[in-house]
Amino acid sequence: MKKFRKVLDGLTTSSPGGTMGSPSSGSAAGTPTAAPTPKEIDIQETLVSENFQMCKTVRHGFPYQPTALAFDPVQKILAIGSRTGGVRILGRPGVDCYCQHESGSAVLQLQFLINEGALVTACADDTLHLWNLRQRRPAVLHSLKFNRERITFCHLPFQSKWLYVGTERGNTHIVNIESFILSGYVIMWNKAIELSTKTHPGPVVHLSDCPKDEGKLLIGFESGMIVQWDLRGKKADFRICYDEAIHSAGWHHEGKQFMCSHSDGSLSMWNLRNTLKPFQVTFPHGKIQKDGRKESCKPILKVEYKTSRSSEPFVIFSGGLSYDKAGRRPTLTIMHGKAITVLEMDYPIVEFMALCETPYNNEVQEPYAVVVLLEKDLIVVDLTQSNYPVCENPYPMDIHESPVTCTAYFADCPPNLIPILYSIGAKHKKTGFSQKEWPIAGGLWTLGCNTYPEIILTGHADGSIKFWDASAITLQMLYKLKTSKAFEKPKPVEGRAADLMEEDPFAVQMVSWCPQSRILCVVGISAHIILYRFSKYDSNTQITSLEVRLQCESEDVISPSDNENNPCFSESGSNSPQTHHHHPASPGSKTPEGNKDTIPCLKVKERMVRVPPGYQAELVIQLLWVDGEPPQQITSLDINSAYGLLAFGNCNGLAVVDCLQKTILLCMSTLDLYGGADPYQRLTRSPRRNRQSTSDFSMRGLSNLYSDSKKRFRTSYQSLTELSDNQQSIDMERSKSPTSVKGPGRKLSLPTDLKTDLDHVNGHCTSPTSQPSAGKPRVPMGPEGPRLTRRGPGRPPFRKAQSAACMEISLPVSHTEVGYASRRAMLQQFHGVTMYSHDEHHSTPPYSWTDKESRENSFSRSRSSSVSSIDRDTKEAITTLQFGESYGRKNDALPNPCLWVGTSLGVALVIPMSIPADHEERMEVPVTMGPSGTVLMLKGSVLRFGFLDCMGSLIQSPYEVWRDLNGPEDPDRVRKRKLVHFSPSSSQDSCGEGHLAVVCSERQAKVILMPSQSVLFVHNITESSFVLRADVVSVSNSVCLACFCANGHIMTLSLPSLRPLMDVNYLPLTDMRIARTFCFTNGGQALYLSSPTEIQRITYSQEMCDNLQEMLGELFTPIETPEAQNRGFLKGFFGGNSHNFDREELFGEASAGKASRSLAQHIPGQAGMEGMKVAASGVVGDLARARIALDERGQRLGELEDRTALMMNSADVFSKHAHELMLKCKDKKWYQF
């Protein structure tokens, strides 16, 4: 039980009220009086540390950088390996498992133990791993590390426990799958080739057993040599030396002939009766030239030779196209009889595999589909139809269709929302798919009992927004919205104007969505905002366009005396940022000097357009170019459907728009929001010299996933840049930067709530509020000088689209944090961020500083030029916004609609509003609002606001119940707005009026009692790092503050006491992608983009971790292995003696002996025994444990036997030497010694 006693009104001195009159609330009545603060507040905090546990839940999307593919034809599950050591195992929808090798080495090859619930992976670090799939979370049972040879190819025959492993040296080793130890049987390369061969055959590229006789192993070497090795006789049956290199081979099911693919684009057919030369050589894509020669073709990387009862055999291969045409798309060729079908792919082919009816290689294969793994997609081709259609993929493999730029996660949504979105999105699905069901249908998945509606929103670089159903740890596409349809297509330009154009002008930066009112607000990279309303009916509409001039100069400062009698700053004038409604200039127009001015970046469609059901654009807000400079990008956004207001801000100021009346209510600079309560003493800046210094924050792509050539992303964050210790280091860093531009330049800003100074926890410090400009010469300001020299030559004013999927931060890494913390502290002292040097539990007027504090936080002329220039170039950005019922002033008796504003300098402002309560008045009477003078201070940029009542419950923002404005007219239905309010005073009759405000910055969290503005609790979240994401979320029927720091820590704090509950070092921040996409939601869940193509969902709730096993799908289900076909007496008599082949007798220790211990090292799996305990039960579990115990006992006995043999050998040698010495000295006399 937490008790807050004697929280008295007047504990701190009353703050002087602003010169502006208090706007009265529409719901308030009577004369406002000072509300009595409760004498005692009792809040019972139910959350404890045991309620939290960090755990990964599921990963969605396409595996990033895939390398290998495998399929179990009986269990019907698919495995995909990746370059980063990950393995995705897929079955029916809902069965999706992700495994990760601890080494992180690339997966070279995958082999299923068919219908055994196990998987063998071969990695680039020359290690074999055996995974147990008989549990919901697979674990490694055994590992085998090769020390002296590199693994190149593996083959596991069906129903065999001996794995053939080919190496780079050309040797073939054999591994026992059960014990995972090497057999003493080795096929050495010098034994396999002819003695007369003078060159090494190269690495092993193919291994397969003959379907006719399992005792014959076909070995293919890279140089073109093919050997069939007799495993019983330990000799080669035949050797083939071909001129061209071999890439793969495939048997006919009868085992009498096989096919090889070669590097010259040819296919060769060989008959076992005559191996001197191939009986057929074909160039499927090679044409005969005029001189009679075959044109050169690309290599055929893989071929599969599959037979069918009812038709000709299928020959399927990748590659083999001619070199005559450059830039041809990758192809998969299907040869069926005389018909040749070439399927063009969108991406390069990584691997493919034919799916057959039988797992036995000595039966007619009957292929029915081909799984093709591409670099960025997974497709299944239906072979049962002549046109080879593609099966519809049920997995969310198209998350990366356009690079993901932002994400939003909403848990516990209204239950009727998902069916409506799905029904509308289903009308726009692609057609032309095969009617056959998706063949990868293994595993078992059931809907869990603790499920609730969850929706994920992803914004993309092409301006699209996708809605995903994320309920029950699955992911399914619901609806796709294209924001670019609200604008005219940009006209292509040439010359210097092309450098100024944005590459992805519609890229989504952030989204704000209200599930209850179904209002969606989208912020784009071109400094534009689009407001959408949902409708189930199509309509003819004309989009309203508003243009805002939010570009403040230093001389455009409104003094406190100028706004005494002006409670609403909605009028545009020379002293405030200007607003426009429909500006006549088009985006292509220019001023006489040749620069854009007072025009938006994009052109909204002015004509009446017909929009389909779904989200329909209603309002577009755009920031304007000013003096040839593009607008600063929007850094914060909030929308409230009940108030009908939309607020947004950037590094220049704040703007508030009335969405119902389509007017701009407020448009003013950040400095003007303080009025007379500015806590900082700022230097006056000379006119026309308030230009941001040039700063390039170099980012590089993680790979060439979205571009063949590396793209440079120029980006900077609002007034966020690196500050070196001296000017020499600054110049040195600039000289190292590949994108540095000399001279003054224009710097673009990014959202501050994504924390733009992403200094690594072990990296050097960057300041949230400073820019280096010391020592930079001033440019003469002629009539055209500033416009021509403000930007470097040819430098685009916009950075490229901020793809969260392909950016990585380039930061120097250090192994100490001492310099990091001190430099950050120095920068914070420069900008007055560390204000609270006194006891922060006692509230003082946030703007009543002592003389000492004022001197420390102000800049004097005696400071260095670099410090002065930092202050001169600093702009305070709006980092977060929140509408809600609150108290704008200390003497407010009732809560009013308010807008809470957070800035990059750690300042929280409260702006009260007066909103008419009547519906008709609301549509006609303007909303009045203005700064109240309430200023609260924190350390670091403000990230999040949250509101609690005096019982500790979360106060939700008021909202409007959704109504379809385009629905059919119903005279009996009243078409009035229905509002749902959550007033702070509705549930506090017993403890008085007021509520608690939770304010979190990048370093600090505070709980403030309103309206007295008393700071109840303060917690310094981090000193060596900073918070990237923070949110007030509900967990286990209570609320907490969840934070994600740049050093990878995820923390939760109790509310309101801010007591630490969990601190886990989970995910070090290595690239910008994680910072831009990490988000929390209710229920103890979060997500982030783990790779450019995958979304990783995690949970920090102990309750969900306990229920996770029930929610995950089962990979293995008991299925009887299909019986082999009866071969008949004659076929069995003349077909060879493959069934008499005993691998155990041939490869076992009794006959083959032991392999050299230095060749490979056996590593027991850490989770092997635990996984076996989870998977097994009853007699089966006891047998498995007994078997493992016997294996361990046998291994110890083997070691003991080796030591005993060594001792016996030593004893024999000693006895022999003793006997020789005795014979030598037998006949000698005593004096002869």
Side-chain angles (χ1 to χ4, degrees), residues 477-708:
M477 179 78 167
L478 291 176
Y479 174 71
K480 181 178 179 180
L481 173 66
K482 296 181 180 180
T483 63
S484 59
K485 291 186 175 181
F487 303 97
E488 301 286 354
K489 291 184 179 180
K491 297 180 180 180
V493 293
E494 299 178 355
R496 182 176 180 272
D499 297 334
L500 304 179
M501 293 297 294
E502 171 62 41
E503 183 177 349
D504 295 312
F506 308 111
V508 179
Q509 272 194 302
M510 67 180 75
V511 294
S512 178
W513 186 48
C514 178
Q516 288 79 15
S517 61
R518 304 181 188 177
I519 290 181
L520 175 67
C521 202
V522 181
V523 175
I525 197 174
S526 299
H528 66 272
I529 301 174
I530 311 176
L531 177 66
Y532 289 92
R533 291 187 183 272
F534 185 82
S535 176
K536 295 188 294 183
Y537 306 94
D538 55 359
S539 65
N540 295 322
T541 182
Q542 185 171 4
I543 304 173
T544 305
S545 176
L546 294 179
E547 298 174 356
V548 181
R549 182 187 175 99
L550 195 58
Q551 190 87 6
C552 303
E553 300 291 346
S554 57
E555 63 267 26
D556 296 335
V557 176
I558 305 175
S559 62
S561 59
D562 293 336
N563 53 33
E564 289 183 0
N565 301 319
N566 186 9
C568 178
F569 291 85
S570 60
E571 297 179 3
S572 60
S574 60
N575 293 333
S576 66
Q578 298 179 4
T579 62
H580 305 268
H581 281 262
H582 296 279
H583 202 278
S586 64
S589 63
K590 298 183 179 180
T591 60
E593 290 83 357
N595 290 323
K596 296 182 179 181
D597 193 15
T598 63
I599 59 171
C601 302
L602 301 172
K603 185 178 181 181
V604 182
K605 290 182 179 179
E606 299 177 353
R607 65 184 183 277
M608 187 76 68
V609 294
R610 187 167 187 83
V611 290
Y615 275 97
Q616 302 169 355
E618 181 181 273
L619 176 66
V620 174
I621 306 168
Q622 296 190 85
L623 299 184
L624 301 176
W625 286 60
V626 178
D627 295 336
E629 293 289 344
Q632 292 284 351
Q633 292 171 13
I634 297 167
T635 58
S636 57
L637 172 75
D638 191 37
I639 186 171
N640 189 280
S641 57
Y643 300 157
L645 299 179
L646 182 151
F648 64 94
N650 61 7
C651 65
N652 288 326
L654 170 70
V656 180
V657 175
D658 190 335
C659 303
L660 300 179
Q661 300 183 19
K662 308 294 190 303
T663 57
I664 299 173
L665 300 176
L666 184 78
C667 186
M668 59 195 310
S669 66
T670 312
L671 184 60
D672 297 335
L673 296 175
Y674 293 104
D678 188 2
Y680 300 106
Q681 297 184 10
R682 308 172 195 253
L683 288 179
T684 58
R685 290 175 276 193
S686 58
R688 307 300 298 172
R689 298 171 72 91
N690 180 27
R691 300 297 179 192
Q692 301 181 31
S693 60
T694 303
S695 173
D696 288 336
F697 200 90
S698 177
M699 294 188 179
R700 65 180 185 272
L702 293 178
S703 69
N704 57 354
L705 185 62
Y706 300 109
S707 168
D708 293 333

Side-chain angles (χ1 to χ4, degrees), residues 58-59 63 70-72 75-81 86-92 94-100 110 112 117-121 131-139 378 395 397 440 442-443 1094 1113-1116:
V58 68
R59 180 172 293 203
F71 181 72
D72 188 327
Q75 289 289 323
K76 295 191 182 303
I77 57 177
L78 186 79
I80 301 175
V87 178
R88 285 282 292 281
I89 305 174
L90 303 170
R92 68 176 65 247
V95 179
D96 189 341
C97 181
Y98 174 77
C99 313
Q100 176 66 43
L110 299 168
F112 272 107
L119 176 70
V120 176
T121 59
W131 293 82
N132 178 21
L133 306 184
R134 297 192 177 218
Q135 55 195 62
R136 295 178 186 262
R137 286 190 175 273
L378 176 71
Y395 312 128
M397 293 288 187
I440 307 167
E1094 295 169 290
E1114 295 184 10
L1115 298 174
F1116 178 80

Side-chain angles (χ1 to χ4, degrees), residues 259-262 264-268 281-287 294-295 297-298 300 303 315 317 319-322 333-335 340 342:
M259 178 183 293
C260 297
S261 67
H262 302 278
D264 62 347
S266 64
L267 297 173
S268 61
V281 177
T282 59
F283 288 82
H285 297 297
K287 299 178 182 178
K294 292 276 188 181
E295 60 181 351
C297 297
K298 299 177 182 178
I300 296 179
V303 64
V315 177
F317 61 90
L321 294 178
S322 60
T333 305
I334 302 176
M335 299 174 59
I340 300 179
V342 179

